[in-house]
Amino acid sequence: MWYAIISQDVDDSLEKRMSVRPDHIKRLQELQDEGRMLIAGPHPKIDSEDPGPAGFTGSLIVAEFDSLEDAQAWADDDPYIAAGVYEKVIVKPFKKVFPSA
């Protein structure tokens, strides 16, 4: 099943994000390589794809896991959590309706 992992950053998280971004991206790449990634990306703090020093307010990942518990465990192990980037992370089931296959 698909699960949405919705994360909210702490204030002024950009430096922390950048310090562990390669490890975070590596985990996402693994999901993609396994065919389990639907979408992933950050929420820019301003209305721009490249917010520069304004940074980001959080992230969204929608990926396939065997259970909610597995999705939560994966989310809990994110390098952004260990680095203090995320203030809050919500994991919940996601039903993909569009685009239809």
Side-chain angles (χ1 to χ4, degrees), residues 4-8 72 75-76 78 81 86-91:
I5 301 170
I6 307 154
S7 308
Q8 182 169 333
Q72 185 69 59
D76 289 345
D78 196 300
I81 291 191
Y86 290 152
E87 175 181 334
K88 180 179 178 181
V89 178
I90 297 170
V91 180

Side-chain angles (χ1 to χ4, degrees), residues 22-82:
D23 294 333
H24 173 77
I25 295 297
K26 180 180 178 201
R27 296 177 80 233
L28 295 174
Q29 186 64 54
E30 289 170 0
L31 283 178
Q32 182 173 308
D33 292 348
E34 294 168 1
R36 297 170 46 206
M37 172 71 64
L38 183 62
I39 192 169
H43 301 284
K45 195 170 195 172
I46 61 174
D47 191 11
S48 173
E49 283 197 31
D50 182 3
F56 302 91
T57 62
S59 301
L60 169 66
I61 299 166
V62 179
E64 191 173 33
F65 293 91
D66 290 333
S67 66
L68 178 59
E69 292 77 21
D70 287 349
Q72 185 69 59
W74 187 91
D76 289 345
D77 199 34
D78 196 300
Y80 281 176
I81 291 191

